[in-house]
Amino acid sequence: MTTAALVIEAACLTLGPFSLRNLDLTLAAGEILVLLGPNGAGKSVCLEMIAGFHRPQSGRILIRGRDVTDLPPEQRRVGLVFQNFGLFPHLTVARNVAFGLRTRRLGHARAERAVVDLLRQFGIAHLAGRSPQHLSPGEKQRVALARALAARPDLFLFDEPFSALDARTREVLRDELKAFLREAGVPAVFVSHDQTDAALLADRVAVIDHGALRQVGTVASVFRKPANYFVAAFIGVENILAGRLLPRLGAMSRIRVADAVLHAAGADDAAGDVLLSIPAEEIGLRPIDGLDALGLCSSTNRIAGRVSEVRSMGALVRVTVDCGFALVACFTPREARALGLSPGQAVVAEVEADAIHILRDQVNCR
Amino acid sequence: MAERLRRARGSGVVLTCWLVGSVLLAFIVVPLLGLAAVQPVRNLVRVAAMPDVRLAIWLSLLAAFLTAGCAAILGVPLAYVLARGTFGGRDVVAAIVDLPLAVPHTVAGIALLIVLGRQGPIGGPIGEVLGLRFWGTLAGVVAGMLFVSAPYAVNAAQIGFEAVDPRLEKVARTLGMGPWGVLLHVTLPLAWPGIMTGLTLTYARAISEFAAVAILAYYPMTAPVKIYEMFLQFGLEDASAMALLMLLVTLALFILFRGLARRRARFAGAGR
Amino acid sequence: MLLSAIALLAAGPASGQTLTIFGAGTLAAPFRQIDAAFEKLHPRAVVHAQFGGSVMMARKITDLHQHADVLAVADYSVIPRFLFGESKAADWYVGFARNAITFVYTEKSKFAPEISSANWYDVLARPGVQIGRSNPDTDPSGYQTLQMLALAEQHYHSPNLAAALLTNAPRENIRDTETELLAALQLGQIDYLAIYRSDALQHHLRYLDLPAAIDLSDPARAGNYATAVAQTKNGDLPGKPIIYAVTVPTGADQPELAAEFVAFLLGPAGQAIMAGNGFGNVDPADAVNIDKVPASLRSLVVPWPSD
């Protein structure tokens, strides 16, 4: 079994009014973990703790099997990249990159060669003598990565490097970064408040709020099966419904929501109030005709309702249906035109049983 | 029409600022020009030829330089902890640093004499053990100058440090550099413009100090003391000739300092 | 509230006459008393007095063109030297007080218990004794100190006296103003200070009782005093008795009021205040250029005895 890239064991840190409570986190070799959470959740503090700028009051931090809890940042072998990439403005690109070589104690000549090699590897050799002030974000990212890589880190840490960039530039840089990390094989913790970063970069996602982890898992599990209300709301699930668990039906759970009964895949013998999450894109709509069967048909839930709002959101159309409770569905403009939906229209909403997810952490209470 | 009005109002702000500001500029420049205007050049030459005039100017330049050096060694670290520190008494420390600005200069001189004089709690032992005396010596001149000019060094350096993004220091640490290395290779170079401004102001303030210095050391004579002596001995014309000479030398020095600071900033990024 | 503040500032001194006096630093204490007494006699008069080095006060009038109604200096020769001549800032003066130059000290001074008028020149020459003095190039008491030491050499038949003493009073111990010198004495930086006897009495300091032959206090010995010469940057200055002189400069704004002030100074009340502050009297007051002296004062003075 290969050594885990990063292990945080029961770390507790209090920093003024803020605290990390019993944080447990593991990162496998070569893995990219995205630490996702709203502003003020403690993502940056957590990152700085890993880097060595805050010492946890209890717990341990191991990087590639080494216990670094007591080590100062310069001995932890981590590479740090900040928003705006943190290039030293008083040094040229070449000297910025050379900065990372200091600890390796190469001779003057070998260090110079190493810098040249790195610059060439990142395609920025032509920028060697330039000041970092006037580089494009893409160029800056490459310099920052080259500099960090020069120090041969065991772990990369990224603190919202794309926050200040426009969407298009973000996309390009994100792709470049992912390619770089894959090739370098160095594991990374990437902090962000943007789920798109998580969706496109992460092997695993950890959602954090107020210093505590709310859910850790693969992108698919977090986005498809949020564990609790916070995660569901944070990742932007449009439909979070409150209901009451009824006795189960075979392998499916039955939940009463307002006047309807919904069937969700996966059953256990719990009871009480639950929250359900249903992504908008999993809801289909059809104009009703008198012969429609409602309720559960094979594994599809069919609920009758009336369209209450049709709103264009640019690339998508959001349709809100009143079924005794609100259901939000979204379609492409083409689909919406084909369905001919308009407010007041009577429709049938169709949802697959396995698209309805019960927020397990919140069985019995909200 | 609205656009033109808006533009006019915008440039109106700048114009008004220049009008008001030029009053201050005139307030500074006109008296100094007045000093220059009453001087025939040959008077300047004659005064410049006096050896004790040149000696006094040289002593002032040297002592102010030493003062700036002391302010740098002692004041810049203080500015660093004031900028970065989060300790409770920060406001008190900053207020103490500014105190000398409010103390009348004669009082400052007497206070220094009390402490650094022959019988003083610090001056006595230092005199016995190290043979370093402050009464009538260059050390005394520097002590007087340092007391009145140190606040400028600390305040400007503090601003310089506050302008350095602490995240850059963090990145440098992760790249393997220890705290001292970060201070030397990242923080100081980036704070340099602020520090340099502070030291220039310190130098300027030190060189012009009269009362505090004169109590500790009348001889050796610094330029302000010599100018006053010349006024008593020879009158206004000769005294203002020496004052003008002093100003010209100082002006040349300041231009040199600014040029050096700028050149260093420019070359800091180029490879060695 | 702003308006009342402005009104207060504008009201300033009670409307009446302002008398501007420039005086030597050592005259500060007696003149403050004299000014108060004068203001009582002349209720509409307000006295604004400034004190500083005699030469500085003279230069303020000649070089900085400030208007003073009365100028009083510690060495009578300052007036002809600076104010007669080109600037024509004054054309007469009256000697009105005497003083003596001596050494003052405190009980903390080195050898204070054993120093006396008999052994002072030996004690002051001992190694480790620090003596302070004023700048001979700019201040009367500075060159008067040197003249006194030269006279002492003659008087005690001790040819090396001045040099030995001055070793303990090097340039480092020279200061410009009385304030600085007294502060240095009180802080123990210097043990002995060459200054006027009136200062000793005013500041409650001990002082040496030096013979009149050397302390420049007796106008009758002017001839003898002239044999002692002080070498300064202004040339060689022969010794003169310490006589304080007063004049009304030609540029005075209030010449009549100024003349009344001088009359008060020369009168019994003024002379009593001077004596009470440790100054010697000049009785009757001597005037130089008596024909230029204002008529109201002429009865109070006699021509300066020529030597």
Side-chain angles (χ1 to χ4, degrees):
Chain A
M1 175 168 151
T2 47
T3 332
L6 170 68
V7 177
I8 305 178
E9 258 176 31
C12 292
L13 172 70
T14 308
L15 208 64
F18 177 84
S19 54
L20 283 174
R21 295 165 277 150
N22 255 305
L23 206 68
D24 278 298
L25 197 58
T26 313
L27 189 66
E31 192 176 55
I32 301 174
L33 175 79
V34 173
L35 195 56
L36 202 59
N39 290 325
K43 318 187 289 290
S44 295
V45 174
C46 188
L47 209 69
E48 290 180 355
M49 186 182 71
I50 299 171
F53 295 107
H54 309 299
R55 202 182 180 297
Q57 273 94 30
S58 63
R60 295 199 303 163
I61 300 173
L62 297 108
I63 297 179
R64 217 169 162 201
R66 266 195 333 150
D67 187 341
V68 300
T69 324
D70 294 320
L71 292 182
E74 58 269 21
Q75 291 179 27
R76 292 199 180 196
R77 298 208 286 264
V78 294
L80 188 55
V81 179
F82 276 116
Q83 190 180 90
N84 290 324
F85 307 107
L87 300 180
F88 301 126
H90 63 294
L91 300 176
T92 59
V93 164
R95 297 206 66 74
N96 261 279
V97 174
F99 210 90
L101 291 169
R102 280 170 183 270
T103 35
R104 282 163 55 188
R105 268 175 252 267
L106 306 169
H108 188 61
R110 284 183 63 196
E112 296 243 345
R113 265 206 307 272
V115 170
V116 169
D117 287 340
L118 273 168
L119 292 177
R120 210 173 285 151
Q121 178 185 339
F122 282 81
I124 47 175
H126 60 292
L127 300 172
R130 292 263 291 275
S131 157
Q133 253 92 311
H134 306 295
L135 301 178
S136 72
E139 291 168 335
K140 283 191 193 170
Q141 174 167 271
R142 285 188 236 164
V143 177
L145 293 174
R147 179 178 67 180
L149 194 63
R152 301 253 179 90
D154 290 335
L155 178 67
F156 268 109
L157 302 171
F158 294 93
D159 195 347
E160 305 206 48
F162 306 141
S163 295
L165 303 173
D166 64 86
R168 178 89 195 104
T169 318
R170 282 178 97 124
E171 250 183 73
V172 174
L173 261 49
R174 200 162 38 210
D175 291 338
E176 272 195 35
L177 182 62
K178 180 152 189 178
F180 161 74
L181 288 172
R182 285 273 167 265
E183 197 186 307
V186 181
V189 177
F190 189 101
V191 159
S192 178
H193 60 264
D194 181 344
Q195 340 159 25
T196 328
D197 286 340
L200 295 176
L201 268 181
D203 295 319
R204 287 200 306 143
V205 175
V207 180
I208 188 172
D209 180 42
H210 286 97
L213 288 177
R214 300 310 207 119
Q215 186 173 359
V216 182
T218 60
V219 174
S221 68
V222 170
F223 279 70
R224 302 257 113 225
K225 301 187 191 313
N228 50 55
Y229 177 79
F230 174 80
V231 176
F234 183 74
I235 62 177
V237 170
E238 295 83 350
N239 299 295
I240 302 176
L241 308 169
R244 177 166 275 272
L245 267 178
L246 302 172
R248 62 187 169 95
L249 180 69
M252 289 207 237
S253 306
R254 284 163 67 227
I255 309 104
R256 173 173 290 285
V257 182
D259 289 327
V261 174
L262 299 175
H263 296 78
D268 51 44
D269 287 310
D273 294 322
V274 288
L275 287 178
L276 303 176
S277 74
I278 312 173
E281 59 270 19
E282 296 290 339
I283 299 178
L285 290 181
R286 274 192 313 118
I288 206 170
D289 66 56
L291 303 167
D292 276 314
L294 296 175
L296 186 69
C297 303
S298 67
S299 59
T300 309
N301 289 281
R302 290 209 178 108
I303 316 123
R306 216 166 263 287
V307 174
S308 60
E309 194 196 18
V310 176
R311 193 200 287 195
S312 164
M313 312 279 281
L316 290 173
V317 177
R318 235 170 96 114
V319 182
T320 313
V321 179
D322 184 1
C323 310
F325 52 89
L327 263 185
V328 175
C330 61
F331 302 99
T332 62
R334 191 163 196 239
E335 290 168 341
R337 278 198 305 275
L339 288 169
L341 298 166
S342 56
Q345 190 180 8
V347 291
V348 168
E350 295 181 329
V351 191
E352 299 301 307
D354 53 16
I356 300 182
H357 174 66
I358 300 174
L359 305 185
R360 294 277 160 205
D361 283 1
Q362 253 125 13
V363 177
N364 291 331
C365 59
R366 173 139 118 69
Chain B
M1 177 62 176
E3 171 68 35
R4 237 188 298 152
L5 262 177
R6 202 164 16 96
R7 238 184 289 143
R9 223 180 290 136
S11 62
V13 171
V14 175
L15 194 62
T16 313
C17 286
W18 266 115
L19 275 172
V20 173
S22 55
V23 172
L24 184 64
L25 278 177
F27 185 63
I28 296 173
V29 170
V30 170
L32 297 177
L33 281 180
L35 254 186
V38 300
Q39 293 305 320
V41 177
R42 91 185 112 79
N43 209 29
L44 269 179
V45 172
R46 180 174 57 82
V47 168
M50 297 184 195
D52 41 1
V53 166
R54 291 201 306 274
L55 186 62
I57 293 182
W58 165 247
L59 181 70
S60 279
L61 296 178
L62 175 67
F65 183 76
L66 291 172
T67 303
C70 290
I73 294 172
L74 301 173
V76 170
L78 180 61
Y80 184 69
V81 290
L82 279 174
R84 287 274 180 267
T86 45
F87 51 95
R90 221 176 117 183
D91 287 334
V92 176
V93 175
I96 291 176
V97 166
D98 285 341
L99 262 180
L101 297 172
V103 177
H105 305 158
T106 317
V107 173
I110 292 181
L112 285 170
L113 183 59
I114 291 176
V115 173
L116 298 175
R118 188 168 70 148
Q119 313 273 9
I122 297 180
I126 288 187
E128 301 284 309
V129 174
L130 297 174
L132 178 66
R133 293 176 213 286
F134 294 91
W135 173 262
T137 61
L138 179 62
V141 173
V142 173
M145 285 180 168
L146 186 63
F147 189 86
V148 300
S149 62
Y152 297 101
V154 177
N155 282 326
Q158 183 180 340
I159 294 179
F161 283 123
E162 281 167 355
V164 178
D165 189 345
R167 295 184 299 181
L168 289 176
E169 295 174 334
K170 289 187 174 145
V171 170
R173 292 289 295 278
T174 60
L175 289 170
M177 195 154 259
W180 286 105
V182 170
L183 186 65
L184 188 61
H185 293 283
V186 178
T187 320
L188 276 178
L190 289 173
W192 186 249
I195 296 176
M196 207 39 199
T197 302
L199 293 180
T200 307
L201 286 174
T202 302
Y203 192 92
R205 183 64 194 85
I207 226 178
S208 64
E209 180 52 34
F210 178 70
V213 168
I215 291 186
L216 281 169
Y218 186 79
Y219 278 102
M221 270 195 184
T222 57
V225 176
K226 182 67 188 167
I227 290 171
Y228 181 66
E229 196 202 51
M230 289 199 68
F231 174 66
L232 292 179
Q233 263 191 283
F234 301 117
L236 185 61
E237 213 179 87
D238 282 12
S240 44
M242 184 180 171
L244 190 62
L245 212 59
M246 179 75 190
L247 280 176
L248 288 172
V249 171
T250 318
L251 186 66
L253 266 178
F254 284 169
I255 294 176
L256 182 68
F257 288 161
R258 295 276 179 186
L260 276 178
R262 237 181 307 123
R263 190 135 43 99
R264 197 207 188 273
R266 230 196 307 138
F267 282 157
R272 221 168 292 139
Chain C
M1 186 155 141
L2 186 63
L3 283 173
S4 48
I6 294 176
L8 214 67
L9 282 170
S15 52
Q17 300 163 302
T18 306
L19 190 69
T20 306
I21 299 182
F22 287 2
T26 45
L27 290 171
F31 265 45
R32 288 216 179 89
Q33 294 166 4
I34 292 175
D35 295 345
F38 185 77
E39 277 176 349
K40 275 214 199 74
L41 286 180
H42 295 79
R44 291 176 51 101
V46 177
V47 179
H48 284 179
Q50 291 180 36
F51 301 97
S54 300
V55 176
M56 182 64 184
M57 293 297 131
R59 288 256 184 226
K60 278 196 184 189
I61 297 173
T62 58
D63 283 55
L64 302 182
H65 308 298
Q66 292 184 9
H67 291 198
D69 299 308
V70 175
L71 173 68
V73 295
D75 176 1
Y76 63 88
S77 63
V78 168
I79 294 182
R81 182 148 44 109
F82 291 95
L83 279 81
F84 288 8
E86 271 193 9
S87 58
K88 294 208 203 327
D91 41 26
W92 58 270
Y93 61 90
V94 173
F96 68 96
R98 292 180 294 131
N99 215 332
I101 190 99
T102 182
F103 291 95
V104 306
Y105 60 104
T106 70
E107 68 272 7
K108 294 184 302 180
S109 305
K110 281 206 173 74
F111 308 121
E114 52 177 287
I115 198 168
S116 71
S117 346
N119 67 5
W120 64 271
Y121 50 93
D122 281 326
V123 173
L124 290 182
R126 289 186 193 164
V129 173
Q130 292 290 333
I131 304 173
R133 60 193 170 99
S134 181
N135 189 352
D137 302 319
T138 59
D139 192 47
S141 67
Y143 53 75
Q144 284 156 353
T145 305
L146 298 176
Q147 290 155 355
M148 177 261 282
L149 289 175
L151 290 169
E153 277 188 348
Q154 296 172 20
H155 182 84
Y156 296 106
H157 307 294
S158 177
N160 222 28
L161 188 152
L165 240 118
L166 286 172
T167 318
N168 283 340
R171 281 191 344 169
E172 287 69 45
N173 289 3
I174 291 178
R175 287 296 178 278
D176 210 23
T177 70
E178 197 190 35
T179 321
E180 293 164 346
L181 291 167
L182 287 167
L185 179 69
Q186 277 151 351
L187 291 176
Q189 183 67 40
I190 54 179
D191 301 299
Y192 297 89
L193 174 56
I195 206 167
Y196 297 129
R197 195 195 302 155
S198 59
D199 286 291
L201 294 163
Q202 277 169 37
H203 294 95
H204 310 291
L205 297 166
R206 301 186 188 182
Y207 66 95
L208 296 174
D209 206 354
L210 299 178
I214 68 172
D215 71 358
L216 302 177
S217 61
D218 187 355
R221 296 175 200 247
N224 193 28
Y225 293 158
T227 62
V229 174
Q231 287 166 328
T232 73
K233 286 190 202 156
N234 298 320
D236 292 344
L237 301 175
K240 298 192 171 100
I242 301 175
I243 298 182
Y244 285 68
V246 64
T247 185
V248 175
T250 52
D253 294 324
Q254 307 273 7
E256 295 90 25
L257 190 60
E260 288 181 52
F261 181 87
V262 175
F264 182 80
L265 180 64
L266 301 180
Q271 289 292 294
I273 292 176
M274 294 301 298
N277 277 279
F279 292 83
N281 292 100
V282 181
D283 200 2
D286 300 325
V288 165
N289 294 350
I290 194 165
D291 45 319
K292 304 264 174 55
V293 171
S296 52
L297 296 174
R298 228 165 275 169
S299 55
L300 298 171
V301 301
V302 298
W304 195 286
S306 43
D307 22 5

